[in-house]
Each structure stands twice: as structure tokens, then as C-alpha cells.
């Protein structure tokens, strides 16, 4: 009884026959009777799922951000097929005098060792000198000659190979996949050794090391789930006070996780930096659903047949649980509109995995309840009896403060919207973090080295300018002079650290031959350089990195900058085309070439730039899909609109908190909106399902709210605690982006629950225009409408 009105749906006094005689009830009855077959089926499927789950690898490289069908990605791959690909890295050898005999001896030994490693190309001032002189030995005379060579031109300094107190080795790693990268870097580190004697430091920089760091950090991802499991154990024992119930929960969670990750393995999936969120989302969604189902199951009156009550409980919760899982699935499926590969994969994986979860919770879990004989509240009292008092107290409090609660929620939500999208003249949109270095721990040596050397070296961001002409056109003297002019213009352009092309190599060859390091002005000298080029390309690997072999129809310039975000690369693109236009004007022969900028660095920035559109598009699609789910379930206009208030409030306020503490959008935090909306909508579905269930009986707002809180409120509370606690486990992550995702998601889940128990009932009071129930002259409850 709620407030004197009989509760016909709570399972405490209602008739079970309608539920038992329904088609769904008969289906569940048969399914529960065949529980032994159900358990055998899962025992047969589980090893297969585990096998494929173990095949899922880990790759946190930024290449995984890119959708393989992206036109810019395809152009970059075509470029690499012509000029060779690979990952760029730099080794910095630090010394007070980098040209002293012992330092050059160590440098020479390191470089020779690096050149012996498969799939590694090493280039330095010393290797250029060694090739020109047909060898090098670290004798005092040759070291002195090498010093004179390296310091006698600014070509090497502009390329970052020779700096004050540093000699650099540029590496190109032709590796495929994280395992090959890790093995190659381990060999490189073994060759480098430790700094000793006059060598003050050996510093490694570049994207391969960043990717390896991210891979190593994410190997701890399974540890994130340990706190979640402990949390489920503690909460389960505290709430249901039964080890048998706990075992049923843990087995069901383990099977759902194995099936989900097994599906990813069957699909050939690879975990990335955001992938640990996939199994965690499955676990928290499954746990929340189990809490809803089992809370209804344990609500069994004394004297009622447990098996009949189990069928009733599953029939009663079937629509709400199915709708909530479906809403979560379609919410994540909306992420498939993203152009960011891991985000798109995550959407698909979670959506399919939730379908497997739905099957499991309605088949395996009830079988385990029966086999393990999990107790009901008639057999063992449950915890949180205080919630009954809370359910009595809350409806009238939310009525009293209804306007304040609703307007406060709207105000905070507006602040959150401004925080994320900005407001003209008031606040700029939230900063989008695109630099992969910012994913690293601030106390790591690699992060410290990158921050130290970024102002010193020309940059670590590489953009290739791809020039395509006709057969043999690159070796034409006028073309080479024009390319030199273009390279010089680019190198002088603001924001460009270095521009390296075929003419740099040809100038270096002239410098080694005693002809100076400038491009010749004499036409006959240019003719000779062009003739030399045709003979050098087949025999010089470095030249083949800049000139298409055999056809000599294509060439490229490597532009090194400190650009990070998409706007900087867009500005660089504009600069490249402006300088190209100027060079074409000075050398009309260049007009026959087609220019295209390519490269993984600008491609990564482009992908990162799409984070905000991903947020907006996927979030908007999620709202539409979940709204449609509500339309099918509730068929009530007010419910459809009101049910989304808590989640939207939580998400927007969470963004305000993120902005206030100085965090940014990144590949992880961008997913919070869809994650929270898709997951927390479960609570609103269960809330409105039972609220409208009571309203259809003609009950008042207060009675319906109290009924909802008694039936679903306790489950909402504990499901939210589980959700928040599960995602808070990511706070243990090494990567700041993943830590931020965990903390902010937990905050958003708690905010959603606060809105469930405050703004949502307050808004229902306002829209219904009812007052709380009061005793009439007959002693029965009555509901009075407000005037007007």
C-alpha cells in the first residue's frame, strides 16, 4: 500500500495471473524450466568466446584514429608507396663539446649499431660525411675534419642535425603494428645504452616513442576492473546480503564480458586508447540491469511461490529493461557517424555487445537465480530500508521547492552549454586537445624531453609537399632551380622550422665537393647538377626518399614545423600554396606540376578537429534515437520530454565542471556525452515506466511518485553508485585523458541521479498542476488541482 492506495503492480498484493498467463510469462516459464539446457549452452559457448577474446590485441598508435577510407589517408598511403613510409624519430646526443673525440667515437658507434637494425634508416651529419668520404674512423684528424664539415654550413643546423651541445640522428622506422614497433625500439635502446663520460645525455623523441608509451600505459587497463569487481562485491553483499546472489552476479558479468570481447576478436578488432571503456560500459550496464531485475525478484511477499514470482518479476521488468538496454545500444550506435576510427568502432562494439547482454541477463541470470537458490527479502532482509522513508519524504519536498529546483537545473545546464560551445563576447568554445604528447604523464622522462627540445629543434610535425609532373621532369635544370626557389621560400616562411627537398641533398653534395652549399647560378653548373641527379638516384637511398626512382616524374619536400592542431596545419597549407604560387611565377616551368600536401601529422590533426563535430552529431543522433525509444515505450508526450532532463542536465553541468578545472576535450572525454546519455537513460526509463504504470490506475502524482521511488528508486540509487564507481576506476589510469574520462563520467552519473530525485519530480509537479495528496472529510486521499 502507498499512502492508502492499493499497489496492484508492486508484486506485494497484486494478482499474478495476468503476468503468468501472458505470452511473455509463458515464454519465461518454459525458459526457466529448461534452465539446465540454458546453462549447458553457455558452458559450450564460453570457451569459444574466451578464445576469440584472447585474440584481441592493443594498438594505441594515432594511426588507429584514422578511418581507412578517408581521402587524405588514402593520399598519404599513395605517397608512401612512391617515396617510402615509416615513423620518424630523433636521437639527441648531448655533450658540452659534441665534436670532441670521445663523443664522436660514441656517436659513431651508436650510429653504426642503429644501421644494423632491420627496418631502421639512420641519417646524421656523420653518416653524410662518411658516405662522401667513403668511410670514417674516429681518429683525431678525421674528427677534426668532421667538425669543420659539420660547422662549415648551415644546412645541417637548419635540419636539426647539428645544434649547440647536440648531435642528432634522424631515424625512420619501417614497422607495422605495435609489436614490431616495440621490438625495434627495444633494439634501438639497447644500442643507445646509457650516457657516460663526456656524453651527458641520450634523448629519444618522436611519435614511435609516444605510441610505445601509450601502449605500455594501456597494458595496465585490466587493473581498472579490479576496483569495479571489488565494488560490486561490497555493494552486492551490502544490498542483498547473500553470497549466492553475488555469485550469480559475478558469473553473469563474466559471461557478458567474455561474449562482448569475444565478438570484438571475431570481428578482427584491436583495442585502442579508448577501448577499455567498451568492457567497462558493458559491465556497468549489465550490473545496473541485474540490480533492477534482482531488486524486483527479491520483492517477494511471504507465502508466494518463488518461481511464480520470478516469472512475474521478469515480465514486469521486461519492457523497462529491454527499452533501457536498447536505448543504451542505439545511443552508442550513434557514435558510428564519427570519422574517428576508435570512436566508430566503440559505437559498433558496444551496440552489438549490449544485444548479447540483453540475451544473457534474461536467460543465464534467471537460471542462476534458480540453481543457486538466491534468497528473496521474505527469506533474508535486504539493506537500505532507509529508502522507504526517503520515498515518503521526497515527493512533498520536491513539490515545495519545485520552481527553484527546475530553474536551478536549467540555469546550471545553460552554464554548461556555454562552457562547451562558448558564447560570443563571453566565452570561447572549450579547447580541443589534439597533441598526443598531452596524453602522457607529466612526470615521465619522454614528456620532459619533448617539452625541453621542442623550442630547440625545428619541430616534430612533418608535412610532405607532393609534386607530380611528367616523365623525367624533375631532373630538368629549370625545374631544379624552381624547386630550390620553392624550398628557400618555404624555409623563410613564418612557422616553418625546416624544408628539406632534393635540392638540399644536391647542395650538400656540392658542399662536400668544395663548391659551396648554395645553389649555383651558372646555367652550366645547374646542367651538371641535373645530370648528376639522374646518376645518383638509383644508387643513393636518401635521394629516393625525395625523387621518384626510374620515372623522375615526382618529388617531395618535407616540411618540419611545430604545428599541432588543425588550424595550424590549415595555415601551413595556405603558406605552402602561397609560396608555390610565387615560385611558379618566378619559374613558369613549375606550372606543369600538381601540388598536394599529405602526411600523418596533418591527418591526425584533422581527425582531432572532428572531435567536436563528433560530439555534436553523435549526441544529437543519440537524443533522437533515445527519444524515439521513449515514444515507443511510453506513448506519452510529457514523459518523452521529461525523461531526458536528468541526463542532459548532468552532461552539460559536467562540461561546466570540466571547463572550470581546466580540462579539455580529447579522444577520451569526447565520449562522455554519449556514454552518460546512453547509460543514465536506463534510470529515467525505469522511473517513468513505473510512474506511468501507477498513473494509469488513476493515482495522483504523489502516490505515483512514491510508488516509483519504492519500486525503482532504490535500484536507481544503487545502479548509479555502481555506474559511477565503475567508471571512477579509470582514475587509476596512467594516461591523463583516461583519468579525466573516469572522473568526469562518475560525476555525470551522480549528477544525473541528483536530477532524477529533484528536478524530474519537480518538473512533473509543475506540469501536472497538482498539489500533494491530503485527507478529505471521508478520510481518503484526495488530490487537489492548483487554480488556473
Amino acid at each position: 500500500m502507498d499512502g492508502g492506495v492499493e499497489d496492484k503492480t508492486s508484486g506485494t498484493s497484486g494478482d499474478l495471473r495476468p503476468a503468468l498467463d501472458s505470452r511473455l510469462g509463458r515464454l519465461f516459464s518454459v525458459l526457466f524450466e529448461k534452465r539446465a539446457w540454458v546453462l549447458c549452452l553457455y558452458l559450450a559457448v564460453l570457451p569459444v568466446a574466451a578464445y576469440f577474446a584472447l585474440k584481441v590485441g592493443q594498438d594505441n598508435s594515432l594511426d588507429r584514429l584514422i578511418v581507412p577510407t578517408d581521402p587524405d589517408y588514402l593520399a598519404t598511403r599513395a605517397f608512401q608507396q612512391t617515396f617510402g613510409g615509416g615513423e620518424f624519430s630523433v636521437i639527441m646526443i648531448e655533450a658540452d663539446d659534441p665534436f670532441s673525440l670521445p663523443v664522436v667515437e660514441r656517436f659513431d658507434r651508436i650510429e653504426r649499431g642503429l644501421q644494423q637494425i632491420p627496418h631502421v634508416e639512420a641519417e646524421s651529419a656523420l653518416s653524410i660525411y662518411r658516405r662522401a668520404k667513403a668511410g670514417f674512423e674516429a681518429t683525431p684528424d678525421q674528427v677534426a675534419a668532421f667538425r669543420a664539415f659539420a660547422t662549415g654550413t648551415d644546412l645541417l643546423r637548419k635540419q636539426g642535425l647539428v645544434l649547440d651541445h647536440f648531435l642528432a640522428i634522424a631515424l625512420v622506422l619501417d614497422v607495422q603494428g605495435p609489436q614490431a614497433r616495440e621490438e625495434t625500439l627495444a633494439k634501438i635502446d639497447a644500442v643507445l645504452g646509457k650516457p657516460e663520460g663526456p656524453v651527458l645525455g641520450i634523448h629519444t623523441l618522436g611519435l614511435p616513442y609516444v605510441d610505445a608509451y601509450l601502449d605500455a600505459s594501456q597494458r595496465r587497463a585490466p587493473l581498472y576492473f579490479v576496483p569495479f569487481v571489488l565494488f560490486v562485491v561490497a555493494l552486492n553483499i551490502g544490498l542483498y546480503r547473500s553470497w549466492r546472489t553475488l555469485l550469480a552476479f559475478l558469473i553473469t558479468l563474466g559471461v557478458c564480458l567474455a561474449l562482448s570481447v569475444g565478438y570484438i576478436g571475431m570481428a578482427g578488432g584491436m583495442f585502442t586508447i579508448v577501448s577499455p571503456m567498451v568492457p567497462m560500459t558493458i559491465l556497468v550496464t549489465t550490473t545496473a540491469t541485474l540490480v533492477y531485475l534482482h531488486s524486483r525478484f527479491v520483492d517477494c511477499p511471504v507465502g508466494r511461490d518463488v518461481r511464480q514470482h520470478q516469472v512475474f518479476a521478469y515480465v514486469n521488468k521486461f519492457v523497462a529493461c529491454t527499452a533501457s538496454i536498447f536505448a543504451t545500444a542505439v545511443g552508442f550506435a550513434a557514435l558510428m557517424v564519427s570519422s574517428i576510427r576508435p570512436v566508430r568502432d566503440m559505437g559498433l562494439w558496444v551496440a552489438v555487445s549490449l544485444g548479447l547482454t540483453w540475451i544473457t541477463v534474461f536467460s543465464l541470470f534467471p537460471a542462476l537465480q534458480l540453481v543457486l537458490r538466491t534468497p528473496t527479502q521474505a527469506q533474508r532482509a535486504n539493506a537500505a530500508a532507509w529508502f522507504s522513508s526517503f520515498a515518503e519524504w521526497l515527493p512533498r519536498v520536491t513539490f515545495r521547492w519545485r520552481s527553484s529546483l527546475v530553474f536551478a537545473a536549467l540555469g546550471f545546464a545553460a552554464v554548461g552549454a556555454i562552457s562547451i560551445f562558448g558564447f560570443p563576447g563571453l566565452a570561447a568554445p572549450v579547447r580541443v586537445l589534439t597533441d598526443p604528447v598531452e596524453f602522457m604523464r607529466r612526470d615521465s622522462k619522454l614528456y620532459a624531453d619533448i617539452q625541453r627540445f621542442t623550442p630547440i629543434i625545428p619541430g616534430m610535425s612533418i608535412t610532405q609537399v607532393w609534386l607530380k609532373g611528367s616523365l623525367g621532369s624533375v631532373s630538368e635544370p629549370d625545374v631544379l632551380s624552381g624547386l630550390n626557389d620553392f624550398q628557400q621560400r618555404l624555409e623563410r616562411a613564418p612557422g616553418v622550422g625546416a624544408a628539406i627537398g632534393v635540392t638540399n641533398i644536391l647542395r650538400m653534395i656540392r658542399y662536400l665537393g668544395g663548391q659551396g652549399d648554395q645553389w649555383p647560378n651558372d646555367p652550366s653548373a645547374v646542367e651538371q647538377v641535373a645530370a648528376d641527379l639522374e646518376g645518383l638516384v638509383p644508387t643513393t637511398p636518401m635521394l629516393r626518399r625525395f625523387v621518384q626512382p626510374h620515372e623522375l616524374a615526382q618529388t617531395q619536400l618535407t616540411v618540419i614545423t611545430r604545428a599541432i592542431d588543425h588550424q595550424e596545419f590549415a595555415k601551413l597549407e595556405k603558406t605552402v600554396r602561397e609560396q608555390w604560387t610565387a615560385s611558379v611565377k618566378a619559374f613558369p616551368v613549375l606550372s606543369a606540376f600538381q601540388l598536394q600536401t599529405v602526411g600523418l601529422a596533418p591527418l591526425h590533426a584533422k581527425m582531432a578537429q572532428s572531435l567536436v563535430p563528433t560530439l555534436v552529431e553523435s549526441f544529437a543522433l543519440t537524443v533522437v534515437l533515445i527519444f524515439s525509444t521513449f515514444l515507443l515505450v511510453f506513448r506519452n508526450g510529457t514523459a518523452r520530454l521529461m525523461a531526458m532532463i536528468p541526463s542532459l542536465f548532468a552532461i552539460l553541468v559536467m562540461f561546466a565542471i570540466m571547463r572550470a578545472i581546466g580540462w579539455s576535450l580529447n579522444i577520451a572525454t569526447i565520449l562522455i556525452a554519449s556514454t552518460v546519455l546512453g547509460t543514465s537513460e536506463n534510470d529515467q526509463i525505469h522511473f517513468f515506466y513505473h510512474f506511468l504504470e501507477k498513473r494509469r490506475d488513476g493515482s495522483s502524482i504523489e502516490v505515483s511518485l512514491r510508488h516509483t521511488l519504492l519500486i525503482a528508486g532504490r535500484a536507481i540509487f544503487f545502479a548509479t553508485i555502481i555506474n559511477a564507481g565503475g567508471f571512477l576506476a579509470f582514475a587509476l589510469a596512467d594516461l591523463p585523458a583516461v583519468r579525466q574520462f573516469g572522473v568526469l563520467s562518475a560525476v555525470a552519473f551522480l549528477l544525473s541521479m541528483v536530477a532524477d530525485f529533484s528536478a524530474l519530480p519537480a518538473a512533473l509537479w509543475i506540469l501536472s498542476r497538482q498539489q500533494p495528496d491530503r485527507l478529505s472529510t471521508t478520510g481518503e486521499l484526495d488530490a487537489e488541482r492548483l487554480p488556473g
Side-chain angles (χ1 to χ4, degrees):
M1 303 286 288
D2 284 335
V5 177
E6 182 183 4
D7 182 357
K8 296 182 180 180
T9 59
S10 68
T12 59
S13 59
D15 184 10
L16 299 184
R17 294 319 315 173
L20 298 177
D21 293 339
S22 66
R23 290 183 180 179
L24 190 59
R26 293 195 299 271
L27 176 62
F28 278 130
S29 296
V30 173
L31 183 65
F32 298 167
E33 286 294 327
K34 303 295 183 181
R35 54 189 176 275
W37 288 97
V38 171
L39 294 176
C40 289
L41 176 63
Y42 280 99
L43 284 174
V45 170
L46 193 58
V48 179
Y51 168 78
F52 283 103
L54 293 174
K55 294 176 69 68
V56 179
Q58 181 84 33
D59 185 0
N60 292 307
S61 66
L62 293 186
D63 284 355
R64 300 294 299 181
L65 295 177
I66 304 167
V67 177
T69 57
D70 182 89
D72 292 334
Y73 178 78
L74 295 176
T76 298
R77 286 305 181 204
F79 170 88
Q80 292 174 342
Q81 290 174 1
T82 302
F83 298 102
E87 301 178 358
F88 178 68
S89 180
V90 176
I91 310 297
M92 305 292 293
I93 308 298
E94 181 179 7
D96 287 333
D97 180 6
F99 296 103
S100 66
L101 179 59
V103 173
V104 175
E105 280 182 330
R106 177 76 184 275
F107 187 89
D108 183 39
R109 193 162 59 250
I110 288 175
E111 186 171 59
R112 290 177 186 272
L114 293 174
Q115 290 171 341
Q116 299 303 312
I117 300 175
H119 312 297
V120 174
E121 294 182 21
E123 189 74 18
S124 71
L126 184 58
S127 63
I128 295 172
Y129 183 80
R130 181 185 294 111
R131 284 196 301 270
K133 301 301 182 181
F136 174 83
E137 296 294 335
T139 64
D141 289 343
Q142 291 200 35
V143 169
F146 170 60
R147 179 196 292 267
F149 158 76
T151 58
T153 177
D154 64 352
L155 287 173
L156 299 172
R157 180 173 294 273
K158 288 181 178 180
Q159 296 175 27
L161 296 178
V162 175
L163 300 170
D164 293 337
H165 307 296
F166 295 97
L167 286 176
I169 304 174
L171 300 180
V172 178
L173 280 61
D174 186 14
V175 294
Q176 301 294 328
Q179 183 175 353
R181 181 191 304 112
E182 182 178 354
E183 292 173 355
T184 301
L185 291 180
K187 294 176 182 177
I188 291 173
D189 291 339
V191 170
L192 295 178
K194 301 293 183 182
E196 57 184 17
V199 176
L200 303 178
I202 300 176
H203 310 278
T204 54
L205 308 171
L207 190 59
Y209 283 93
V210 175
D211 289 340
Y213 174 90
L214 297 178
D215 285 338
S217 298
Q218 287 298 83
R219 290 195 188 98
R220 293 186 57 199
L223 297 179
Y224 307 159
F225 300 96
V226 175
F228 173 77
V229 173
L230 296 176
F231 190 75
V232 170
V233 171
L235 192 61
N236 203 290
I237 294 298
L239 179 59
Y240 300 117
R241 300 177 179 178
S242 166
W243 288 100
R244 286 178 286 173
T245 300
L246 171 62
L247 186 58
F249 266 67
L250 293 179
I251 292 174
T252 305
L253 288 172
V255 170
C256 287
L257 184 61
L259 293 176
S260 299
V261 182
Y263 157 72
I264 296 173
M266 289 182 65
M270 181 79 70
F271 278 167
T272 64
I273 189 172
V274 300
S275 295
M277 302 164 197
V278 175
M280 184 61 76
T281 300
I282 299 303
L283 288 176
V284 297
T285 304
T286 304
T287 305
T289 304
L290 296 180
V291 168
Y292 283 117
L293 289 172
H294 197 69
S295 294
R296 198 64 166 133
F297 169 74
V298 300
D299 185 23
C300 180
V302 177
R304 173 172 293 175
D305 181 78
V306 173
R307 293 191 181 183
Q308 288 187 346
H309 177 73
Q310 184 188 35
V311 174
F312 163 80
Y314 276 80
V315 170
N316 183 255
K317 297 301 294 184
F318 179 79
V319 173
C321 288
T322 299
S324 63
I325 291 177
F326 178 76
T328 305
V330 298
F332 278 96
L335 294 173
M336 293 176 64
V337 304
S338 174
S339 58
I340 301 175
R341 187 176 176 183
V343 174
R344 192 175 68 175
D345 288 345
M346 179 181 177
L348 174 62
W349 295 346
V350 173
V352 174
S353 297
L354 285 174
L356 299 173
T357 296
W358 177 81
I359 296 172
T360 305
V361 297
F362 281 110
S363 58
L364 176 62
F365 186 64
L368 291 171
Q369 285 177 318
L370 292 171
V371 171
L372 296 173
R373 293 181 295 174
T374 57
T376 65
Q377 68 178 4
Q379 300 164 320
R380 182 169 301 175
N382 295 314
W386 57 268
F387 205 90
S388 297
S389 300
F390 177 74
E392 287 287 332
W393 169 82
L394 186 67
R396 295 198 174 219
V397 171
T398 54
F399 169 78
R400 180 179 180 182
W401 299 101
R402 58 194 183 280
S403 297
S404 299
L405 290 171
V406 170
F407 285 113
L410 292 175
F412 282 119
V415 171
I418 293 173
S419 297
I420 185 68
F421 298 113
F423 191 84
L426 180 63
V430 68
R431 176 172 171 257
V432 180
L433 187 148
T434 60
D435 186 0
V437 175
E438 295 303 322
F439 296 162
M440 303 169 59
R441 288 176 61 98
R442 301 301 184 265
D443 58 355
S444 66
K445 180 181 182 299
L446 179 58
Y447 181 84
D449 281 345
I450 291 173
Q451 295 303 311
R452 176 188 177 188
F453 287 101
T454 295
I456 300 175
I457 60 179
M460 292 298 296
S461 294
I462 294 178
T463 302
Q464 279 96 11
V465 181
W466 188 4
L467 298 171
K468 290 175 278 188
S470 58
L471 182 66
S473 58
V474 173
S475 62
E476 294 177 6
D478 289 345
V479 169
L480 287 174
S481 294
L483 292 176
N484 181 71
D485 178 78
F486 180 45
Q487 182 269 331
Q488 292 286 292
R489 290 176 186 272
L490 275 179
E491 202 162 59
R492 293 192 299 266
V496 175
I500 306 169
V502 59
T503 57
N504 293 78
I505 300 174
L506 296 174
R507 287 166 58 193
M508 181 63 68
I509 293 172
R510 284 176 53 81
Y511 171 68
L512 288 165
Q515 299 172 294
D517 62 1
Q518 300 300 310
W519 188 255
N521 293 320
D522 181 40
S524 61
V526 177
E527 291 272 3
Q528 183 59 51
V529 170
D532 292 341
L533 173 63
E534 294 178 355
L536 287 170
V537 169
T539 60
T540 309
M542 182 55 64
L543 270 175
R544 293 199 294 272
R545 285 270 177 185
F546 292 91
V547 179
Q548 180 190 31
H550 309 301
E551 291 87 353
L552 300 178
Q554 302 178 36
T555 185
Q556 65 101 354
L557 281 82
T558 296
V559 182
I560 303 175
T561 69
R562 299 190 180 97
I564 295 174
D565 58 37
H566 182 68
Q567 289 79 7
E568 291 173 324
F569 281 106
K571 185 177 179 180
L572 175 62
E573 167 85 11
K574 181 180 178 182
T575 298
V576 167
R577 294 195 175 277
E578 288 175 347
Q579 302 308 320
W580 176 250
T581 300
S583 292
V584 169
K585 185 176 181 180
F587 294 86
V589 69
L590 295 179
S591 62
F593 284 81
Q594 177 187 355
L595 182 147
Q596 183 178 14
T597 58
V598 295
L600 290 177
L603 191 55
H604 293 155
K606 172 190 169 183
M607 294 297 104
Q609 180 67 19
S610 66
L611 285 175
V612 171
T614 290
L615 168 66
V616 175
E617 292 172 12
S618 64
F619 185 74
L621 185 56
T622 300
V623 170
V624 171
L625 292 173
I626 292 179
F627 182 85
S628 301
T629 302
F630 289 159
L631 177 64
L632 294 173
V633 174
F634 299 130
R635 303 183 184 278
N636 180 291
T638 301
R640 292 196 300 271
L641 294 173
M642 303 296 293
M644 305 191 75
I645 288 178
S647 295
L648 296 176
F649 162 80
I651 291 166
L652 292 173
V653 174
M654 178 274 300
F655 279 127
I657 294 173
M658 182 183 76
R659 184 73 178 266
I661 60 182
W663 290 351
S664 303
L665 283 178
N666 53 52
I667 186 62
T669 56
I670 197 69
L671 300 172
I672 295 177
S674 293
T675 299
V676 172
L677 180 61
T679 307
S680 64
E681 281 301 323
N682 297 347
D683 299 337
Q684 284 88 64
I685 287 177
H686 287 275
F687 186 102
F688 269 95
Y689 180 80
H690 292 290
F691 177 79
L692 294 177
E693 178 183 58
K694 199 64 179 173
R695 289 289 286 164
R696 283 192 291 268
D697 292 344
S699 299
S700 65
I701 294 294
E702 181 176 4
V703 170
S704 299
L705 283 174
R706 188 173 296 118
H707 165 80
T708 300
L709 292 169
L710 288 171
I711 300 302
R714 183 185 288 107
I716 288 174
F717 175 80
F718 285 106
T720 300
I721 297 300
I722 290 171
N723 289 343
F727 280 91
L728 193 59
F730 286 117
L732 301 175
D734 283 334
L735 305 182
V738 178
R739 287 203 304 269
Q740 292 168 12
F741 172 86
V743 172
L744 292 174
S745 295
V747 168
F749 283 123
L750 294 175
L751 287 171
S752 178
M753 182 182 67
V754 169
D756 284 338
F757 294 147
S758 58
L760 184 54
L764 290 172
W765 279 118
I766 292 175
L767 290 176
S768 69
R769 303 172 67 190
Q770 283 190 11
Q771 285 183 329
D773 300 327
R774 60 184 177 83
L775 289 176
S776 67
T777 56
T778 63
E780 296 180 350
L781 283 172
D782 191 14
E784 178 181 292
R785 291 189 175 276
L786 292 173

